[in-house]
Amino acid sequence: MFDSRPDRSAEVVLVGRSNVGKSTLMRELTGHTVSTGSKPGVTRSPNHYDWVAEDFVLTDLPGFGFMEGVPEERREAIKTDVVRYVENYAESILAGVVVVDGKSAIDIIDRHSERGEIPHDVELFHFLRDVGIPPVVAVNKMDKVDDRDDRLDALCDRLGLVPPWQQWDETIAPISAKRGQITPLTDAVRHHLHEAKRDDLLGFF
């Protein structure tokens, strides 16, 4: 399923739950429509956007977490595939973009925590760090959020980052992909590309 990756030494990946707007964000970043499954959980393989002439690929990994009508074992298999992909290509991945829904992320994280589970978003954030990939949290759908600063501070708190969120602009990126408002994300990714001494890739963001 996951063996379609072009042979590139530099990569940025998008990861996250289903229905958080990863495909819309991918379209905004590349200027191209990315095919998506009609139902969550249908897309089981990564969507690669390959610039061919450049040594770089942008990858939208399948969404995971709760998906209506998708059996739990399948959901777990998707998550395992995503984790394995990131582990396999960790040395090439210069930034991992964790896309979350700004409206519902806190509620979802808290619901899982109250049940004694590690929420996927939190787990993914720390997993990227553990394998040496700088995580950037793209907090999507912020145009629908009223208590913006409170919500972003709360997200920092859940991720183990000390608020206020403004001091984490290389890590927390409030965006609205549908409205084309993604500059905080592209700025954060550009920072990590620069840190990786890959200024040749800045033009992609």
Side-chain angles (χ1 to χ4, degrees):
M1 288 289 183
F2 276 34
D3 55 6
S4 59
R5 182 186 184 274
D7 184 17
R8 303 285 177 259
S9 73
E11 182 173 13
V12 170
V13 296
L14 307 185
V15 293
R17 295 175 179 278
S18 295
N19 295 333
V20 293
K22 287 194 291 90
S23 299
T24 306
L25 177 56
M26 187 80 162
R27 186 171 64 237
E28 206 52 48
L29 288 167
T30 63
H32 289 75
T33 301
V34 178
S35 61
T36 56
S38 55
K39 285 194 261 171
V42 171
T43 308
R44 278 296 303 275
S45 54
N47 280 314
H48 299 288
Y49 191 80
D50 182 17
W51 274 267
V52 185
E54 306 292 338
D55 189 20
F56 175 67
V57 62
L58 179 66
T59 301
D60 175 19
L61 289 167
F64 54 80
F66 176 75
M67 293 169 266
E68 206 170 321
V70 179
E72 183 165 358
E73 60 269 20
R74 181 154 182 202
R75 298 199 300 262
E76 283 302 314
I78 295 170
K79 187 180 154 196
T80 300
D81 285 346
V82 167
V83 166
R84 195 171 292 142
Y85 181 96
V86 172
E87 283 179 330
N88 285 347
Y89 298 110
E91 285 189 17
S92 304
I93 300 173
L94 305 180
V97 179
V98 182
V99 187
V100 302
D101 182 329
K103 272 181 71 180
S104 61
I106 302 300
D107 298 336
I108 291 171
I109 288 171
D110 288 351
R111 202 179 314 137
H112 282 270
S113 297
E114 283 160 12
R115 294 203 297 249
E117 302 165 1
I118 299 174
H120 288 323
D121 309 296
V122 176
E123 186 179 20
L124 207 49
F125 177 80
H126 291 290
F127 165 66
L128 288 168
R129 279 185 153 183
D130 288 347
V131 295
I133 299 169
V136 178
V137 183
V139 193
N140 197 18
K141 309 184 186 180
M142 287 304 288
D143 53 306
K144 298 178 180 174
V145 173
D146 300 326
D147 51 345
R148 178 186 171 91
D149 288 343
D150 290 346
R151 193 64 65 100
L152 293 168
D153 284 349
L155 182 59
C156 282
D157 180 63
R158 305 306 190 271
L159 294 171
L161 305 173
V162 178
W165 71 270
Q166 289 91 341
Q167 65 183 334
W168 299 102
D169 59 355
E170 290 144 18
T171 307
I172 302 292
I175 63 168
S176 172
K178 206 170 233 179
R179 294 194 171 190
Q181 298 163 350
I182 62 168
T183 304
L185 172 61
T186 53
D187 285 351
V189 172
R190 284 166 62 88
H191 167 83
H192 294 299
L193 294 177
H194 176 69
E195 290 288 293
K197 298 184 169 51
R198 290 303 303 262
D199 285 4
D200 56 308
L201 302 176
L202 295 182
F204 296 115
F205 293 93

